[in-house]
């Protein structure tokens, strides 16, 4: 088992009820952290808590929160009742769509969750992090290089890369801010992407694009998130870290 040095730390994970966020919660719990997972769906939240408790035998808390809503973010973090040592901004949505088909509603849906949501939750967390801490934002390979058929998603993740660097400057030396950029990872988000493509492409088609010959697993991204957040990783801030099977090395 890995030791990330997070025993007893308070860790907040938006999008901690599914996919990459859920896998990250599992690793932090195994490390002995107090973990608070945020998401909108009560059902998804309580199911995630049950799963995590069975897997790790540790106490984990579901906190309802829509990150697009400022009051929700403030209420959620006030409810934790203590300082926050680690914030992972993993809540996100994906939509495949060429620009000619985009509506303003589509734009708002992606930007409100991926960009405004990250800003609002981070803003709400700051008063609880002045003692020091670590923020890990989840962007994407799509924030580093262009991807086909999803310009708005790419723009939202590019914004997270820029935001990470700007916040790293503003909040040094107390708070480290870094950004992890996964490529395709097998999560409910990716399964929906495949469904929405109506057979346009398959998991095997996706895998063909990767130097490592496959897409990622949520726990592989979670391991990097925990390592980046770890207090042992004390000299890294403003970094943008691809975890993508070599995709952006091409
Ligand atoms: N999977 C990939 O291939 C991939 C690749 C690159 C980057 N990423 C990024 O990695 C992050 C996690 O993705 P994933 O694949 O793990 O997705 P996922 O399995 O669909 O999980 C998304 C999580 O975000 C939460 N969420 C969505 N909108 C929210 C909102 N408005 N307020 C609060 N929580 C919200 C969801 O819970 P509720 O719906 O209950 O709110 C869920 O817990 C995202 O930022 C995504 O863009 C994923």
């Amino acid at each position: 088992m890995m030791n990330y040095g997070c025993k007893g730390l308070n860790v907040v994970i938006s999008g901690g009820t599914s996919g990459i966020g859920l896998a990250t919660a599992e690793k932090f719990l195994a490390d002995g952290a107090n973990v608070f997972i945020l998401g909108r769906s009560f059902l998804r939240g309580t199911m995630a808590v049950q799963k995590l408790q069975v897997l790790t035998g540790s106490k984990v808390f579901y906190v309802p929160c829509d990150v697009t809503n400022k009051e929700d973010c403030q209420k959620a973090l006030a409810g934790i009742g203590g300082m926050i040592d680690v914030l992972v901004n993993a809540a996100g949505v994906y939509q495949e769509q060429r620009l000619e088909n985009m509506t303003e509603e589509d734009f708002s849906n992606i930007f409100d969750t991926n960009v405004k949501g990250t800003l609002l939750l981070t803003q709400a967390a700051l008063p609880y992090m002045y003692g020091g801490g670590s923020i890990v934002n989840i962007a994407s390979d799509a924030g580093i290089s262009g991807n086909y058929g999803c310009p708005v998603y790419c723009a939202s993740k590019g914004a997270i890369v820029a935001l990470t660097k700007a916040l790293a400057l503003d909040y040094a030396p107390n708070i480290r801010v870094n950004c992890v950029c996964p490529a395709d990872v097998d999560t409910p988000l990716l399964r929906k992407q495949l469904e929405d493509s109506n057979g346009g492409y398959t998991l095997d088609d996706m895998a063909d694009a990767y130097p490592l010959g496959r897409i990622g697993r949520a726990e592989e991204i979670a391991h990097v998130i925990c390592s980046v957040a770890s207090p042992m990783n004390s000299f890294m801030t403003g970094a943008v870290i691809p975890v993508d099977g070599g995709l952006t090395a091409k």
Side-chain angles (χ1 to χ4, degrees):
M1 191 190 295
M2 293 300 298
N3 173 9
Y4 300 106
C6 293
K7 191 172 167 49
L9 299 188
N10 287 339
V11 175
V12 173
I13 307 173
S14 79
T17 60
S18 177
I20 293 169
L22 180 60
T24 305
E26 187 183 331
K27 289 212 183 295
F28 274 122
L29 282 167
D31 201 39
N34 310 311
V35 178
F36 301 84
I37 55 173
L38 275 50
R40 294 164 301 176
S41 160
F42 180 78
L43 182 64
R44 218 186 329 270
T46 45
M47 279 171 57
V49 164
Q50 275 174 16
K51 182 181 168 193
L52 288 168
Q53 279 174 344
V54 169
L55 283 173
T56 65
S58 308
K59 255 199 177 158
V60 49
F61 306 90
Y62 164 61
V63 185
C65 178
D66 180 343
V67 293
T68 67
N69 181 303
K70 184 172 177 165
E71 275 180 22
D72 247 30
C73 291
Q74 290 174 335
K75 217 169 94 186
L77 298 190
I80 285 165
M83 298 304 278
I84 296 170
D85 301 291
V86 175
L87 170 66
V88 179
N89 284 304
V93 289
Y94 177 84
Q95 189 178 4
E96 205 147 276
Q97 190 171 57
R98 287 172 63 89
L99 188 58
E100 63 266 30
N101 302 322
M102 184 201 78
T103 64
E104 285 185 66
E105 204 184 349
D106 296 328
F107 173 83
S108 299
N109 179 38
I110 294 181
F111 262 70
D112 281 1
T113 309
N114 295 2
V115 183
K116 186 177 153 194
T118 300
L119 283 163
L120 288 180
L121 193 66
T122 303
Q123 186 186 43
L126 288 175
Y128 304 100
M129 296 188 89
Y130 274 110
S134 173
I135 297 173
V136 184
N137 296 324
I138 311 307
S140 167
D141 65 292
I144 299 176
S145 50
N147 272 7
Y148 292 102
C150 55
V152 182
Y153 180 78
C154 285
S156 75
K157 293 301 186 179
I160 294 303
V161 168
L163 174 69
T164 297
K165 294 182 182 188
L167 294 180
L169 299 182
D170 280 348
Y171 294 100
N174 276 3
I175 305 175
R176 295 185 302 108
V177 189
N178 294 291
C179 175
V180 170
C181 298
D184 294 307
V185 182
D186 195 356
T187 67
L189 179 146
L190 179 126
R191 292 288 167 169
K192 181 172 179 301
Q193 177 185 342
L194 282 174
E195 242 177 72
D196 290 349
S197 86
N198 288 319
Y201 52 87
T202 63
L203 268 185
D204 286 342
D205 296 331
M206 281 182 166
D208 282 346
Y210 286 81
L212 290 189
R214 64 173 176 84
I215 67 164
R217 295 188 290 272
E219 64 267 25
E220 293 174 311
I221 313 305
H223 167 63
V224 178
I225 294 170
C226 293
S227 307
V228 168
S230 163
M232 296 188 282
N233 186 33
S234 45
F235 200 52
M236 181 187 276
T237 196
V240 177
I241 303 129
V243 190
D244 63 7
L247 191 70
T248 56
K250 290 203 281 185

